[in-house]
Amino acid sequence: TPSAVQKIKQLLKDKPEHVSVKVGVRTRGCNGLSYTLEYTKSKGESDEVVVQDGVRVFIEKKAQLTLLGTEMDYVENKLTSEFVFNNPNIKGTCGCGKAL
């Protein structure tokens, strides 16, 4: 989303040694996956590259099918500010809030 693009631009501006952020997934919770987001200095050999409005995001190979069709947003309110992944492929969440 435009909000996520602006936030990534802002974050990378403060870290000139990094060229992008990398999105991945990790097994977490009782049965689900959680998304990871980290700075990266280079593209991994099997990373997928997504470019949106001048911002490059790398996606780890093992996350590519999981993230297919997912929208990445950045949301701020009075209590939190966070990247949110709106994934149409999720069938539900477990009690701890992790994607199934």
Side-chain angles (χ1 to χ4, degrees):
T1 64
S3 178
V5 167
Q6 290 307 313
K7 186 61 178 180
I8 292 172
K9 283 181 180 179
Q10 178 187 354
L11 292 171
L12 290 174
K13 182 179 177 185
D14 296 335
K15 301 219 180 268
E17 70 276 14
H18 294 92
V19 297
S20 184
V21 293
K22 184 182 290 192
V23 179
V25 292
R26 301 287 180 266
T27 302
R28 297 276 163 84
C30 51
N31 257 349
L33 298 173
S34 65
Y35 302 103
T36 63
L37 193 60
E38 62 188 13
Y39 295 105
T40 186
K41 293 181 180 181
S42 62
K43 177 187 174 295
E45 189 174 305
S46 48
D47 291 346
E48 182 75 25
V49 180
V50 176
V51 179
Q52 179 72 36
D53 299 325
V55 170
R56 285 184 303 174
V57 175
F58 300 143
I59 302 173
E60 291 179 347
K61 181 177 181 164
K62 70 179 187 176
Q64 292 171 11
L65 287 177
T66 304
L67 291 170
L68 193 63
T70 299
E71 175 189 69
M72 182 177 165
D73 195 6
Y74 183 75
V75 178
E76 290 184 278
N77 62 42
K78 291 180 182 180
L79 298 175
T80 64
S81 58
E82 62 185 339
F83 285 99
V84 175
F85 294 85
N86 300 311
N87 188 333
N89 303 311
I90 292 177
K91 305 227 183 314
T93 58
C94 67
C96 60
K98 303 301 178 196
L100 299 178

